[in-house]
């Protein structure tokens, strides 16, 4: 499936999409592409708010604000996400997690990329409507989606519960090994 279809499908079946995305040999180029795409889209989601802030306070120019967001989201955030994925996976390994490092990274990276449509909407609300209940609601939904996708992905890969359950309880839906 295409990335956009997988993003839409993640809102209905996040564990299934992640399991399909990590199937096969680990591909670090794929993990890097997913995290970079997610971070670039998060950077783009900041544009309306940064434009609004530059209009309201012209003492800091828009290009300076965009430069800071670019540095944060495209250069620093991917490194921080790699560290976060490693730390969470390390802790889960202590409690019996069964995933490999690649699967743990992909669970976090895919959750970020899959939740970007809501983060883009949050950026639009922040930029065009401004602070208030709308921004709080949309931002909360985006955060819940991200955490939900990441949690479902971690459950799927660290326990292996989803693949085993599908193979034992639903005939015809199990994966060929």
């Amino acid at each position: 499936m295409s990335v956009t279809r997988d993003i839409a499908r993640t809102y209905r079946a996040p564990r299934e999409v992640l399991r399909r995305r990590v199937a096969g040999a680990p591909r670090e180029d794929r993990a890097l592409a997913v995290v970079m795409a997610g971070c670039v889209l998060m950077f783009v989601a900041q544009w309306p708010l940064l434009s609004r802030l530059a209009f309201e306070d012209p003492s800091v120019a828009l290009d300076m604000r965009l430069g800071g967001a670019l540095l944060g989201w495209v250069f620093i955030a991917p490194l921080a996400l790699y560290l976060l994925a490693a730390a969470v996976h390390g802790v889960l390994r202590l409690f019996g997690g069964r995933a490999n490092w690649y699967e743990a990274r992909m669970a976090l990276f895919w959750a970020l990329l899959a939740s970007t449509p809501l983060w883009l909407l949050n950026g639009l609300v922040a930029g065009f409507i401004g602070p208030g209940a709308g921004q709080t609601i949309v931002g909360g939904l985006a955060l819940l989606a991200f955490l939900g996708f990441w949690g479902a992905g971690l459950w799927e890969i660290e326990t292996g519960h989803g693949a085993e359950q599908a193979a034992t309880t639903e005939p015809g839906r199990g994966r060929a090994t």
Side-chain angles (χ1 to χ4, degrees), residues 85-103:
V88 169
H89 177 61
V91 169
L92 291 176
R93 294 276 296 192
L94 293 174
F95 293 102
R98 296 190 282 175
N100 61 40
W101 295 97
Y102 169 74
E103 292 172 333

Side-chain angles (χ1 to χ4, degrees), residues 1-12 17 20-21 34 37 41 110 113-117 120:
M1 274 192 172
S2 70
V3 173
T4 53
R5 285 187 182 160
D6 274 353
I7 288 172
R9 179 113 176 105
T10 298
Y11 285 82
R12 291 183 309 238
V17 172
R20 191 176 63 252
R21 286 231 160 245
V34 169
L41 288 172
W110 184 255
L113 183 60
S115 65
T116 54
L120 289 164

Side-chain angles (χ1 to χ4, degrees), residues 45-87:
Q46 304 300 306
W47 291 359
L49 176 61
L50 295 176
S51 178
R52 179 187 188 97
L53 293 174
F55 178 77
E56 291 173 351
D57 179 17
S59 66
V60 180
L62 176 61
D63 58 346
M64 293 178 70
R65 293 174 192 269
L66 289 173
L70 176 72
L71 176 68
W73 276 111
V74 178
F75 295 105
I76 296 172
L79 298 173
L81 290 169
Y82 268 93
L83 290 174
L84 177 63

Side-chain angles (χ1 to χ4, degrees), residues 48-53 56 121-139:
L49 176 61
L50 295 176
S51 178
R52 179 187 188 97
L53 293 174
E56 291 173 351
L121 177 62
N122 184 58
L124 289 172
V125 170
F128 290 109
I129 298 173
Q135 184 181 1
T136 303
I137 291 169
V138 175

